[in-house]
Every structure is written in structure tokens, then in C-alpha cells.
Amino acid sequence: MNEPEPEPLYTLRHHFSFYPVIAATTSLQNIPGEKSILRSNSAGNPTTLSDKDILMLPKSAPPSPENQFLKKSKTLEFLDRKNPSYPIPVNISTHPRTWLVISILLFQIFLLFIARSLLVSLSPRHFPPPNKLPVEISVDECDSGRVYVYDLPSIFNKELSENCQDLNPWNSRCDALTNDGFGRRASRIEGIVPENLTPAWYWTDQFASEIIFHNRILGHRCRTLDPESATAFYVPFYAGLAVGKYLWSNYSSRERDLHCEMLLKWVQEQTFWKRSNGWDHFIMLGRISWDFRRSRDDDWGSSFIYMPAMKNVTRLLIERNPWDYFDVGVPYPTGFHPRTDSDVREWQNYLRTRNRTTLFCFAGATRGAIKDDFRGALLRHCYNESDSCQALDCGGPRCANGTSAILEMFLNSDFCLQPRGDSFTRRSIFDCMVAGSIPVFFWKRTAYYQYEWFLPGEPESYSVYIDRNDVKNGTSIRGVLERYSREETRKMRDKVIDYIPKFVYAEPKEGLETIRDAVDVALDGVLMRFREQGIGGQRLK
């Protein structure tokens, strides 16, 4: 059975009924005569910042005096010529019949525009095939351009991570954010991975990518300290940490948006933002896109992405909206953070020679509140096929941020079942593939419409797709997988292993010697996109 066409955005709300509805019950006190905004102090208590305070936040380091005079870009000059300020004489007849003809023509044009817009909105946006992005570093490694990193006021990143004990209503996240976002070093993996590779393994939090990405960009080969020479501008705002703190309990929509509004007010005062209106700016958001797409005050999440200043900003996310050109899906962080090229190659060789004793496996927790819970069905299916499937019930905190049991299970299995998670994607996709196991998908949106810069362009070359409805109607997963020969399975596994460098986050801030990791691939893609926009891209005003 073929995958049904992805639904339009207005129906996505129905897929997230498991999210709690946040009651907007908390009110904020305004200073008389001034628009106020909350800020958390070191004790985690909210204090108030006015518009005047926000404008007094330190600006990013200014460029050198000789570069203060900025030339207007060719693209913006072209747009200005399209919208001239001088009058153009036009003679239009005032005869009623003439106006009737014009009205009919305009109405037909309007109908054509609406039809075209609907067709576009119903198709997920695809990016260039990932094989255009090199795996190894070229001689001219920054030929696509250089990136400038804004020096943000600490309230937007450092203070958020330092107050890690307040980021979660249930427990501290401090352990998860240690070691530059990699988390605690992995334990009890001796005998599971080669001994000399154990220091490259951590129990990394799935929402830590903002910190990991920031630290890597600060040491990146293609970073420039001169904004005049930059192709791209990176805004290192930890929006996922800022918003995540207010997703639970009875926080108001204003509180969930407060850091985002403050950040946008700050960045809009920067010279290089004003020059492009954000077109050459990008940000890493460490949660899924839907956590930043609140359309009504009583809905889930923040409205960050819907704020007007964000309309031109490229956003890297662990799950993207397939219909939004500015959303780019990047891999969830796994526990493997190689220190050198040789770490990568040794791990790849280890996976190719690993003796796998199980046909397929599944690690996941049931969702009893969801009708016809598919993950529960997969667990039961696996238990019923116990001679060929290994199951790990991840109910509770048992599998949080990786465990040695999950890693060993993936290492022992030819295939790993990957249904959708609480959203369409799940971190387990990459935990599975970094162990050299072949993913089995049941929704095309789980990976195929998400990570096109990082995964092979031919889905069948590295994965298996079984429509979830076929499984519900009695199709045997074991029967489908057993039809693949040893040689076909080996080829798919080799493809997964070949792509591992593209979806791991290396430990050194400057990256690996010659191999490009996920940060390199993401930055290459962003720089190529911005160069194309600057040369002949069509920009919005």
C-alpha cells in the first residue's frame, strides 16, 4: 500500500493530541507606561525587562572602522528597482465596461494563484540530493563561504545552560548538558564496543544539539571574525532550552515566548541583520519544529517560528516541517562522538565485521492513551516472534538518553523497527544506524522527508519501508525481512555504515581531520543555500 499524501498543515494539530494543553492562567504585570517582558534571575525567579532594557543589551562586536560603510547588495538593489519610489504615469480608462473586463481578469488571476498555492502546499519541500555535499574535506574547505557567530548577551545561551537545574520541572538537566552538551560519559559499555573507542561514547541528551552545535561552530575552520567577509550569520540562541522550561505546568503563552521576543528585538538592531532582513541568518533549534509553531495562545509550545522577524531565517531542527523551505532537518545527536578520523574508520570496520545474531529488534514504550497504539502493536509482534526479534520495553526512564542494553541490541540485529515517536521522528533512528543496523520505517515522514542532506537519496538503498496499515492488516514483518538475501542485507548495511560520518557530531571543536561530520554537512548546506540566494535567488521583503 502506498503512503498517503502528507496532510496539509492545518490538520497537523490532530497528530499531537498527546501533548498537554497548556492553560494560559499566569498573568504578567506590566510597568506603567512601558511594555514589559520577563527574565529569570540566577535563582530562577522571573524579573522584568522593558523595551528600553532590551535595546541596552550589549550589541555584537562591531566590524572594524574601515568596513563601517556598507554597500547595498545587488539583490536588494534589484528589489528596490522593482518597487521604485518615483511616480510612473499611467492612463486608465474610466469607462464602466473597461473596469468590468479588468475585474474579471483580476479574479481569474486570483483563482489561478490560489490553485497553484494549494498544489505547492500539499507537497513536501525537498532539498538537493545529499550526495552533492562531500564526505571528506576538500583542499579549499571554505569555498562555499564563511560563517560569522553573533556574540549574544548571555541571557540567550550561557545563563540558560548554567541554570540547568531549573530547565525541567521533574529533575535537573545539569548532567545532560555537561561536557559541552555531550552529557555524561557512557558507562557499562566495556565488551560492547572496542576498548580504545569507549572514551568516544557519551549518554547524550536528544535535546542538547543547540549546545553541541554552538561549541562546534565556535571552533569551525570556516568561522570568520570579520562580519564583512561572512556568507552566513549564526545566531547561537538556545531556544529549545528557553522554551522547554515553560512547556509544562500552567505557564502562559507570554512566558513561553519571552526569550524569543527578546532575542528578535536584539538581533533586529544588528547592522548585518538590517542589511538582509535575516535572509543570510540561521539558527539551530534543539527541539522539533512543532514546539515553536503555536498558532493560538492556548495551544502547545512557543510561537517563535511564526513571529514576523523569523520569516526569512533558516532553521536547523531535529524534526522539520516538510512544507516549510526554511526548516532543515538535522540528525538527533547519538552517543558516539568520534575524536579523530581513525575513530570513525575503526568503528565502521568494527560494524562491518560484527556477528549479528538477531533478524530484527525494537526498543520503545507503549502509548496507552493513543488509540490503536502502533508501538504497542510492534512490541507484541516482537514478543510473538521472539526467536527472530529482540524487544526492549522502554517504559519509564529505562531508555532515556541511551543505555548499554539498547546499544548492544542494535549491534546484534540486522534490522531495527522505527515507527514514529511522539512526533513523526525519533532519536532511535540514529541510535540504530550508528550501530550499523538497517532501519525499518512505517511512515515516510519519519526519515525520507526529513534528513535529505544527511541520508542517501535512494531510501531503498539503506532502509526498508512497510506501510503501517499493512502491518495492522496482518502483514508479517518477519516475513518481509526474511525475503532479503544475505547479499542484499549486506549492501544495505554497508550503505548505512558509509553514511555514519554525516550523522554523528565529532568531539573536537575544530572537527575531524578530513572527514565531515553532521555539523560540517549542515554548514555546507546552509552556505551553499545562501550563496545561491545571493547569486540569483528570489527573496521576500
Side-chain angles (χ1 to χ4, degrees):
M1 183 180 295
N2 294 327
E3 172 83 358
E5 285 295 318
E7 53 270 74
L9 285 180
Y10 61 80
T11 67
L12 286 174
R13 181 187 316 279
H14 303 293
H15 287 300
F16 297 93
S17 58
F18 53 84
Y19 280 142
V21 177
I22 309 299
T25 57
T26 306
S27 63
L28 304 179
Q29 298 297 323
N30 290 333
I31 299 174
E34 287 193 56
K35 191 176 179 182
S36 64
I37 204 156
L38 285 182
R39 165 182 180 168
S40 296
N41 59 22
S42 59
N45 299 316
T47 58
T48 306
L49 280 182
S50 67
D51 284 352
K52 186 190 301 179
D53 295 326
I54 293 168
L55 294 177
M56 289 177 67
L57 287 171
K59 290 191 176 184
S60 186
S64 56
E66 62 270 21
N67 290 327
Q68 287 292 329
F69 183 75
L70 302 178
K71 293 182 179 180
K72 199 171 188 182
S73 70
K74 292 181 180 179
T75 304
L76 295 181
E77 286 178 0
F78 172 72
L79 289 172
D80 288 342
R81 289 196 293 270
K82 288 173 66 180
N83 300 281
S85 57
Y86 49 84
I88 300 176
V90 180
N91 294 320
I92 300 177
S93 171
T94 58
H95 194 284
R97 191 172 297 168
T98 302
W99 282 109
L100 178 61
V101 172
I102 291 173
S103 300
I104 293 172
L105 286 173
L106 288 174
F107 183 68
Q108 289 176 333
I109 291 171
F110 174 75
L111 290 177
L112 286 172
F113 175 78
I114 292 297
R116 183 170 179 263
S117 299
L118 285 173
L119 286 173
V120 171
S121 68
L122 292 174
S123 301
R125 299 296 299 267
H126 293 277
F127 298 131
N131 56 16
K132 290 187 178 180
L133 299 174
V135 176
E136 296 199 350
I137 294 171
S138 62
V139 176
D140 185 6
E141 55 193 274
C142 300
D143 53 359
S144 294
R146 293 186 176 273
V147 59
Y148 179 79
V149 182
Y150 278 112
D151 183 16
L152 296 184
S154 61
I155 187 176
F156 299 122
N157 44 45
K158 185 178 179 183
E159 288 183 21
L160 289 166
S161 59
E162 286 179 347
N163 292 326
C164 50
Q165 71 280 355
D166 300 323
L167 295 176
N168 189 312
W170 301 286
N171 48 55
S172 170
R173 293 195 62 200
C174 294
D175 282 349
L177 303 183
T178 58
N179 295 315
D180 293 334
F182 294 145
R184 296 179 294 109
R185 290 195 176 273
S187 57
R188 296 187 296 276
I189 59 172
E190 296 81 7
I192 298 175
V193 305
E195 183 178 356
N196 60 319
L197 291 181
T198 55
W201 282 87
Y202 297 79
W203 297 141
T204 302
D205 189 90
Q206 64 176 335
F207 297 130
S209 50
E210 291 162 343
I211 299 175
I212 295 171
F213 199 88
H214 186 195
N215 282 304
R216 276 281 280 110
I217 290 290
L218 288 176
H220 200 277
R221 302 174 182 90
C222 296
R223 180 191 176 192
T224 178
L225 301 179
D226 175 16
E228 287 283 2
S229 66
T231 304
F233 293 81
Y234 169 55
V235 183
F237 171 40
Y238 298 169
L241 299 187
V243 170
K245 177 178 179 178
Y246 299 103
L247 288 177
W248 318 101
S249 303
N250 293 324
Y251 286 108
S252 69
S253 59
R254 180 84 181 275
E255 288 170 295
R256 283 177 270 149
D257 287 345
L258 66 93
H259 281 89
C260 303
E261 291 174 343
M262 290 164 59
L263 180 279
L264 290 177
K265 287 186 178 184
W266 182 90
V267 78
Q268 286 177 95
E269 292 298 313
Q270 307 307 308
T271 299
F272 292 90
W273 174 280
K274 293 178 180 178
R275 187 175 70 175
S276 69
N277 197 26
W279 264 97
D280 50 7
H281 285 56
F282 72 102
I283 190 170
M284 174 74 206
L285 302 179
R287 301 185 69 92
I288 65 174
S289 186
W290 318 108
D291 288 342
F292 304 98
R293 291 181 176 272
R294 191 190 72 245
S295 57
R296 300 183 307 190
D297 283 351
D298 59 349
D299 281 349
W300 170 267
S302 164
S303 63
F304 187 35
I305 287 177
Y306 289 146
M307 293 178 185
M310 284 293 289
K311 68 178 182 180
N312 296 333
V313 178
T314 293
R315 305 168 296 259
L316 307 180
L317 300 121
I318 52 177
E319 178 176 322
R320 66 181 282 250
N321 170 9
W323 297 273
D324 192 331
Y325 169 79
F326 293 95
D327 274 14
V328 177
V330 298
Y332 283 82
T334 69
F336 182 47
H337 302 287
R339 302 156 295 176
T340 61
D341 284 8
S342 81
D343 276 2
V344 175
R345 295 191 175 106
E346 182 175 351
W347 181 246
Q348 289 174 310
N349 291 335
Y350 173 72
L351 295 178
R352 287 192 173 96
T353 58
R354 173 88 181 186
N355 180 33
R356 298 175 187 265
T357 56
T358 304
L359 178 62
F360 64 108
C361 67
F362 175 60
T366 60
R367 290 292 185 268
I370 298 178
K371 185 180 179 181
D372 299 325
D373 174 31
F374 190 68
R375 287 195 285 189
L378 290 184
L379 272 175
R380 292 190 296 273
H381 186 93
C382 209
Y383 288 139
N384 292 336
E385 302 283 1
S386 57
D387 57 334
S388 61
C389 182
Q390 184 177 353
L392 182 61
D393 187 344
C394 288
R398 190 180 309 165
C399 302
N401 300 327
T403 67
S404 57
I406 292 178
L407 176 59
E408 187 170 24
M409 184 179 71
F410 287 150
L411 286 169
N412 288 337
S413 302
D414 284 324
F415 299 91
C416 56
L417 308 185
Q418 296 298 332
R420 57 174 286 175
D422 287 335
S423 59
F424 275 99
T425 65
R426 64 199 302 247
R427 178 248 182 86
S428 179
I429 299 167
F430 295 98
D431 289 336
C432 151
M433 291 193 294
V434 83
S437 191
I438 301 162
V440 179
F441 298 119
F442 305 90
W443 280 263
K444 291 184 178 179
R445 281 180 61 184
T446 302
Y448 303 154
Y449 301 158
Q450 289 290 336
Y451 309 107
E452 292 158 297
W453 289 359
F454 304 87
L455 298 178
E458 305 77 29
E460 67 280 359
S461 70
Y462 75 97
S463 67
V464 174
Y465 176 74
I466 307 174
D467 190 280
R468 60 199 173 279
N469 292 314
D470 292 345
V471 176
K472 292 177 182 178
N473 291 330
T475 294
S476 167
I477 296 173
R478 175 179 180 173
V480 172
L481 299 181
E482 284 181 337
R483 288 201 288 268
Y484 288 91
S485 68
R486 287 179 179 269
E487 180 61 16
E488 288 171 324
T489 302
R490 183 193 63 77
K491 286 181 178 180
M492 283 192 287
R493 179 182 302 115
D494 282 347
K495 181 67 75 171
V496 168
I497 294 171
D498 286 343
Y499 270 73
I500 284 176
K502 285 190 171 187
F503 55 77
V504 297
Y505 295 85
E507 182 177 302
K509 289 184 172 63
E510 64 276 10
L512 302 174
E513 297 95 330
T514 64
I515 294 176
R516 293 183 183 272
D517 73 341
V519 173
D520 294 316
V521 173
L523 187 55
D524 283 345
V526 168
L527 290 169
M528 287 170 61
R529 171 184 280 205
F530 288 173
R531 275 191 66 185
E532 291 167 0
Q533 290 172 354
I535 293 170
Q538 185 177 12
R539 300 186 175 192
L540 302 173
K541 293 206 81 173

